[in-house]
Amino acid sequence: MFLFLVVALAVVVAAVTLAVVGGGETGPLPEAAPERLQDPLPYDRPVNRADVEGLRFPLAARGYRMSDVDDALARLGAELAERDARIADLESALAGAQAAAHGAHASHVSMEKPAQEDQ
C-alpha cells in the first residue's frame, strides 16, 4: 500500500512538472500580456460624469494597477482644479457686475430724489 502511494505521488508530481514546464513541441506557455485599461478618460474633451461612472480598472495581482489609478486620479484632479479656478473667476466677475449694477442703480436713484423735491 505504501509503495502504491509513493508511485501515485511520483506520477502526480511528474504530471504537474510537465504541465508547468511544458512538453512536446509547443514549449512553455507564452507570457500573458498584462491587462490594461481599455477605456481611459478622454483626452480630446473635458471629463463628464458618464466618463467617471464608466471607468473600470482592470484587476492586477494585488488589486488594481497603480499606474492606471494614478493616471485617472491625476487627470480628475487637474480637471477639478481647472473647474474650480473657472468657477472662482465667474463668481468674481458676477460679484463685480452686481456691484457695478448696484452702484449705477444707487447713483440713478440719488439723482432722481433732488428733482422730485423741487416740485
Side-chain angles (χ1 to χ4, degrees):
M1 181 70 172
F2 178 73
L3 183 60
F4 175 74
L5 290 176
V6 170
V7 170
L9 181 64
V11 169
V12 169
V13 168
V16 169
T17 303
L18 188 60
V20 170
V21 173
E25 298 174 12
T26 60
L29 295 174
E31 289 293 321
E35 192 175 344
R36 292 286 184 196
L37 187 62
Q38 295 298 320
D39 296 317
L41 296 174
Y43 291 102
D44 58 340
R45 62 176 172 76
V47 175
N48 61 32
R49 182 181 182 126
D51 295 328
V52 176
E53 288 175 352
L55 189 62
R56 297 291 178 261
F57 296 104
L59 293 176
R62 298 181 122 186
Y64 296 105
R65 296 182 53 82
M66 289 173 59
S67 61
D68 290 339
V69 176
D70 290 344
D71 291 345
L73 289 176
R75 173 72 190 278
L76 290 173
E79 289 218 11
L80 287 174
E82 182 180 321
R83 288 178 186 176
D84 288 345
R86 179 76 174 139
I87 289 170
D89 288 346
L90 291 172
E91 286 177 344
S92 174
L94 178 62
Q98 287 175 339
H102 182 61
H105 179 66
S107 66
H108 186 278
V109 169
S110 66
M111 290 191 152
E112 287 180 0
K113 282 187 180 181
Q116 291 175 354
E117 289 176 1
D118 289 339
Q119 294 176 357

